[in-house]
C-alpha cells in the first residue's frame, strides 16, 4: 500500500491539494480534520458540561469510530451517526480545537487512521500525519505559504457579509495567532516531519501546486 502524508499550515490549501493528488493517483483522500470534527459533534451531542480530561475519557470509552466512502465522499460515523452537515459550523470548529489536543482522544483517532492506511492506498491530510500517524509514509509533503499570501486567499473566500464585518488585517492577525498556537501546543504540535519535502505555494495556484506535488511523489515512488 502507498501512503502519502500531507501536513501544513492553516490556509495553505492542504485539503484541495491532497484531494487533487488523490485523484491524480487514484488513491483515497482521507481528511483527518473531519474525524476530529465528527468527534466534537458527538461530544456535543453527549451533553458533557465542559471539556476536561474526565469527560473526554468517559466519552472515548463509549465510542466507535468508522470512516466510510459513499459515492466517493468521506463519511465519518461515530456510534453509527454521521454529522456531515454540522462539521464545518463555526461552533464545531471551536469545539474541535478544544477536544483535539487530548491524548486519549488522539490515540483513538490514530488507530482509525493507521487501520485505514494498512488496507488502502491513501493521501492522508492533517497536522501530525508525517510525524506521528504515518512516520514511514512513502512520501511526506509539508505545504505552506507566506502568511500574507494565505491571509489574502482566506480574505478572498469570505462572503460579502463577512467581508463587511472583517478586515484583511484581522484575517492576517488570526492566521498569525493560529500559526503560533498550532506550532506551540503541547500535544501533536505542527512541525515539518523528518523526511518531509516543504512545498511553498505562495506564488502557485492550486493546479500548479498539485503539479508540483505530483512531481515530488513521482520522484519518490515509481508506479
Ligand atoms: O483541518 P481542519 O481545520 O478540518 O481540522 C479541524 C481541527 O482538528 C483543528 O482544530 C485541528 C485539528 N486536527 C488535529 O488536531 N489533527 C489532525 N490530524 C487534523 C486536525
Amino acid at each position: 500500500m502507498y501512503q502519502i502524508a500531507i501536513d501544513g499550515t492553516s490556509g495553505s490549501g492542504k485539503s484541495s491539494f491532497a484531494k487533487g493528488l488523490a485523484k491524480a493517483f487514484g488513491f483515497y483522500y482521507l481528511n483527518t480534520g473531519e474525524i476530529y470534527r465528527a468527534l466534537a459533534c458527538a461530544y456535543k451531542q453527549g451533553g458533557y458540561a465542559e471539556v476536561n480530561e474526565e469527560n473526554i475519557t468517559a466519552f472515548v470509552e463509549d465510542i466507535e469510530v468508522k470512516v466510510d466512502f459513499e459515492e466517493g465522499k468521506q463519511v465519518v460515523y461515530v456510534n453509527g451517526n454521521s454529522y456531515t452537515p454540522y462539521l464545518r459550523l463555526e461552533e464545531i470548529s471551536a469545539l474541535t480545537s478544544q477536544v483535539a489536543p487530548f491524548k486519549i482522544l488522539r490515540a483513538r483517532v490514530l488507530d482509525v487512521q493507521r487501520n485505514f492506511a494498512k488496507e488502502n492506498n491513501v493521501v492522508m491530510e492533517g497536522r501530525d500525519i508525517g510525524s506521528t500517524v504515518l512516520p514511514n509514509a512513502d512520501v511526506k509533503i509539508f505545504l505552506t505559504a507566506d502568511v500574507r499570501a494565505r491571509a489574502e486567499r482566506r480574505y478572498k473566500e469570505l462572503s460579502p457579509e463577512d467581508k463587511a464585518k472583517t478586515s484583511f488585517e484581522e484575517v492576517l492577525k488570526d492566521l498569525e495567532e493560529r500559526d503560533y498556537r498550532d506550532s506551540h501546543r503541547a500535544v501533536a504540535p505542527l512541525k515539518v516531519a523528518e523526511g518531509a519535502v516543504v512545498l511553498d505555494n505562495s506564488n502557485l495556484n492550486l493546479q500548479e501546486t498539485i503539479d508540483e506535488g505530483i512531481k515530488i511523489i513521482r520522484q519518490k515512488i515509481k508506479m
Side-chain angles (χ1 to χ4, degrees), residues 66-80:
K66 195 169 157 264
V67 180
D68 215 349
F69 281 82
E70 296 168 10
E71 288 166 14
K73 257 198 84 53
Q74 172 178 320
V75 184
V76 183
Y77 289 94
V78 184
N79 290 342

Side-chain angles (χ1 to χ4, degrees), residues 9 12 16 26-27 41 53 59 75 100 122 134 176 178 203:
T9 48
S12 61
S16 309
F27 292 0
C41 290
E53 185 95 39
F59 170 69
V75 184
V122 66
L134 305 174
E176 283 170 340
R178 264 183 84 160
N203 298 310

